[in-house]
Amino acid sequence: MCTYDTETVEIEGAGKGAAGWFDLTQAAVYVDHPQRAPFGHTLNIDFANPGQGPAARVAVELTEEAALALVAAIQRALANAPAGLASANAAA
């Protein structure tokens, strides 16, 4: 069953698509039928820059287990780095 609930968040970062690197400004997270992954439903994340059109998008389809493992890995990586190191306010 699809939830039709989409969580959208403004983000800052970069993604690499078919045409190369582009700035990311938005992420949409939702549970739905995947386009490619061989499962009935997946957690889907679209990293995008809507201002640059539909080609400025990187899509990810994950199982629930993979999504939870990714969340935990992100939290561990940030916890193991000095606070603020990857912040937008950190020196380049």
Side-chain angles (χ1 to χ4, degrees):
M1 177 180 115
C2 302
T3 64
Y4 301 105
D5 289 329
T6 300
E7 296 291 330
T8 304
V9 62
E10 299 298 314
I11 61 172
E12 294 180 79
K16 189 173 183 182
W21 287 95
F22 59 95
D23 293 335
L24 295 175
T25 60
Q26 180 181 2
V29 182
Y30 53 97
V31 174
D32 201 346
H33 298 283
Q35 296 296 310
R36 169 70 174 81
F39 305 101
H41 291 84
T42 51
L43 177 94
N44 305 317
I45 308 170
D46 294 336
F47 297 99
N49 185 330
Q52 292 185 4
R57 175 178 171 260
V58 176
V60 178
E61 300 173 338
L62 302 171
T63 63
E64 181 176 339
E65 296 83 0
L68 291 170
L70 178 59
V71 167
I74 290 169
Q75 290 174 328
R76 286 191 306 273
L78 289 172
N80 290 332
L85 183 65
S87 171
N89 299 321

